[in-house]
Amino acid sequence: MTLLDGGEKIEVGQVPEASKDDALAYFVRKYDDVMTQLLLLKQRLDTDAANKELEKTLAQIDEAIGQRQMVGNMANLREQSETLRNALIERQAEQQAQREKALAEQQSAREEIVVRAEEISAQDPAKTQWKQSTAKMRELFDQWRTVQKAGPRLPRATEDALWKRFRSARNTFEKNRRAFFSQLDARNAEAKKVKEDLITRAEALQHSTEWGPTTLKYRDLMNEWKQSPRASRKEDDALWARFRGAQDVFFNARDAANAEVDREYEANLATKEQLLAEAQQQLPFKDIDTARTVMKDLRTRWEAAGRVPRKDISRMEAEIDKFERALAELEEEHWRRSDPETKARTNSAQAQLEDAIAQLEKDLADAERAGDQQKVNSAKEALEARRQWLQVVQAASE
């Protein structure tokens, strides 16, 4: 059968033993089938991600259109096919852009994990918080596997390069961690050895009854302990408990012995408090001889009374010091008054004041006889001032 297609005669085919109408209907159906395929393909394009299959089907349709073995609006059919192909190309471009975006996000996520791992591995081992950092490195490894499974596969070269960096960071971290804890174990062992020796020396002293010398030895041991290296927290606490236990044995025994002695000294304390009460009645000291007699008697009886409990030693020494200071002040005042140079200076000043007073008394009498009131007043003021100074000098010389 021959038909016109855009003014061109086209042989569309033959249908043996069929009428012209039947043959025409046959080729029309072929046209309708192709158009139906195009419409179905257009519907699939919006929902089907298998672009390769769609592209293959469209190629088969284009081949059928190119053979022209059908009857219909071929220009419309070709236009529909071209529109569908353009839509497919656009769809493929969108999907390619989405794939590239997903790959970029996948690579960025992996690189972020790698950078964080490298930051952890680059920490100063001496300042690293190993428990937190180990947990973080384990978390990063879990994130790596999750991201790897969830996202698109990276190019082999990119994947290998990122994994190599990540694995290197993990290996460096583990190497530093093992080295740190190896050194830490060595330091702990050395610290334990030093403290074990201190404990042995402390335990050797714990039953001593030489209270003073042994107390000093324990003080020295404590200073050595403070300067010694620290072991692990758990071991250090256990070692300290043993060291402290040895000290407690000694100091508890010493405190018990001191308490017993203090009970024996309670009577001495009562005696000394009575001595202080008696001496208090003599204060304030006025006569130097009396004060010396009182203090001599107080000192003699104080020494005879004996020791007081340890807790009262400072207080009792402070109390008797009050009397010692009172006597010292009285002796200083007595010396100042009896010092020959001081007396000479006082006598000279007193003589000068007496001469001045005599002269002023004469001047006053002359002024009164002359009736010169201004000179009378001036002489009286000067005379009063000299007499007051004379009283002060006389009092200082007594």
Side-chain angles (χ1 to χ4, degrees):
M1 177 173 286
T2 303
L3 293 176
L4 289 176
D5 182 6
E8 180 185 0
K9 286 186 178 183
I10 301 298
E11 182 73 30
V12 297
Q14 297 180 355
V15 183
E17 299 181 358
S19 67
K20 182 178 180 179
D21 291 339
D22 290 340
L24 179 61
Y26 170 74
F27 288 109
V28 169
R29 285 196 302 275
K30 290 185 69 175
Y31 174 88
D32 291 339
D33 288 343
V34 172
M35 180 62 75
T36 299
Q37 290 181 46
L38 283 172
L39 294 175
L40 291 174
L41 198 61
K42 182 178 181 181
Q43 293 176 359
R44 288 180 60 193
L45 182 62
D46 296 331
T47 58
D48 198 337
N51 290 329
K52 290 295 184 182
E53 183 181 346
L54 296 178
E55 188 175 2
K56 181 180 178 181
T57 302
L58 183 58
Q60 291 172 350
I61 292 174
D62 286 342
E63 183 180 356
I65 294 174
Q67 292 174 356
R68 306 185 193 183
Q69 295 179 348
M70 61 192 74
V71 176
N73 189 344
M74 296 302 294
N76 181 51
L77 195 63
R78 283 191 287 270
E79 182 181 349
Q80 292 291 333
S81 175
E82 182 67 21
T83 300
L84 186 59
R85 177 169 296 283
N86 291 337
L88 179 59
I89 292 173
E90 183 178 349
R91 173 70 181 276
Q92 290 174 335
E94 291 176 354
Q95 291 181 338
Q96 179 63 25
Q98 291 175 354
R99 282 194 297 272
E100 291 176 355
K101 180 182 178 182
L103 282 172
E105 291 175 347
Q106 171 75 193
Q107 183 171 344
S108 177
R110 299 278 195 96
E111 287 178 344
E112 182 179 353
I113 293 172
V114 171
V115 169
R116 291 164 66 188
E118 289 173 339
E119 289 174 350
I120 294 174
S121 68
Q123 295 178 115
D124 182 354
K127 299 179 180 179
T128 298
Q129 299 292 326
W130 291 105
K131 183 176 181 180
Q132 293 89 331
S133 295
T134 300
K136 189 61 181 178
M137 190 66 81
R138 189 179 299 114
E139 179 184 337
L140 290 175
F141 181 64
D142 292 339
Q143 289 179 11
W144 176 279
R145 293 191 297 183
T146 300
V147 171
Q148 186 181 45
K149 292 178 181 179
R153 291 185 61 84
L154 294 172
R156 182 62 179 270
T158 303
E159 175 91 19
D160 290 348
L162 288 172
W163 170 250
K164 183 177 180 180
R165 286 173 59 192
F166 184 57
R167 182 181 59 193
S168 176
R170 293 177 68 215
N171 291 341
T172 299
F173 176 79
E174 286 300 318
K175 179 181 177 181
N176 291 341
R177 187 179 69 84
R178 288 193 298 270
F180 175 82
F181 282 103
S182 176
Q183 294 174 2
L184 183 62
D185 289 343
R187 289 198 300 268
N188 287 341
E190 178 61 24
K192 185 177 180 181
K193 179 181 178 181
V194 171
K195 291 187 174 179
E196 288 278 7
D197 177 66
L198 292 173
I199 291 170
T200 299
R201 291 158 61 189
E203 289 174 342
L205 296 171
Q206 63 185 340
H207 298 300
S208 172
T209 56
E210 296 180 353
W211 310 122
T214 305
T215 298
L216 295 178
K217 291 178 181 179
Y218 270 117
R219 183 191 63 188
D220 293 339
L221 286 175
M222 177 61 75
N223 290 335
E224 290 186 51
W225 184 278
K226 291 178 180 178
Q227 295 171 5
S228 64
R230 289 184 60 86
S232 67
R233 178 66 178 271
K234 184 177 180 181
E235 287 188 335
D236 218 50
D237 289 346
L239 292 166
W240 168 252
R242 290 173 56 195
F243 182 72
R244 185 65 182 174
Q247 291 187 93
D248 287 345
V249 170
F250 169 77
F251 285 110
N252 289 340
R254 188 199 65 175
D255 291 345
N258 288 336
E260 181 63 28
V261 172
D262 285 346
R263 282 192 291 272
E264 296 176 2
Y265 292 159
E266 288 293 338
N268 300 346
L269 176 63
T271 299
K272 288 191 173 183
E273 288 179 335
Q274 179 61 35
L275 292 175
L276 291 173
E278 293 176 3
Q280 186 66 35
Q281 298 176 4
Q282 302 296 325
L283 293 180
F285 293 140
K286 295 181 179 180
D287 180 71
I288 186 65
D289 294 330
T290 301
R292 288 171 174 169
T293 300
V294 169
M295 287 305 301
K296 180 179 180 181
D297 179 63
L298 177 59
R299 292 189 189 107
T300 301
R301 296 169 66 189
W302 186 272
E303 294 297 327
R307 298 179 62 182
V308 299
R310 294 168 60 87
K311 62 182 179 61
D312 297 298
I313 291 176
S314 296
R315 180 174 64 86
M316 298 306 290
E317 289 179 349
E319 289 294 330
I320 196 171
D321 280 347
K322 294 179 182 178
F323 295 94
E324 297 286 2
R325 288 197 300 272
L327 176 59
E329 291 172 0
L330 186 62
E331 288 178 333
E332 182 179 354
E333 178 65 17
H334 176 73
W335 169 253
R336 185 181 63 79
R337 290 179 178 178
S338 61
D339 181 17
E341 293 184 4
T342 302
K343 280 188 172 183
R345 288 193 299 270
T346 300
N347 291 339
S348 175
Q350 182 174 340
Q352 291 176 10
L353 286 170
E354 288 174 347
D355 291 343
I357 289 171
Q359 181 60 47
L360 287 170
E361 287 176 344
K362 181 179 180 300
D363 292 344
L364 176 60
D366 291 343
E368 287 177 343
R369 283 194 297 269
D372 190 339
Q373 189 60 42
Q374 184 176 358
K375 289 185 177 182
V376 169
N377 293 337
S378 177
K380 283 183 177 181
E381 291 178 4
L383 183 60
E384 180 62 25
R386 298 303 187 279
R387 285 173 176 170
Q388 289 179 1
W389 275 109
L390 180 60
Q391 291 177 359
V392 171
V393 172
Q394 289 174 337
S397 64
E398 293 177 356

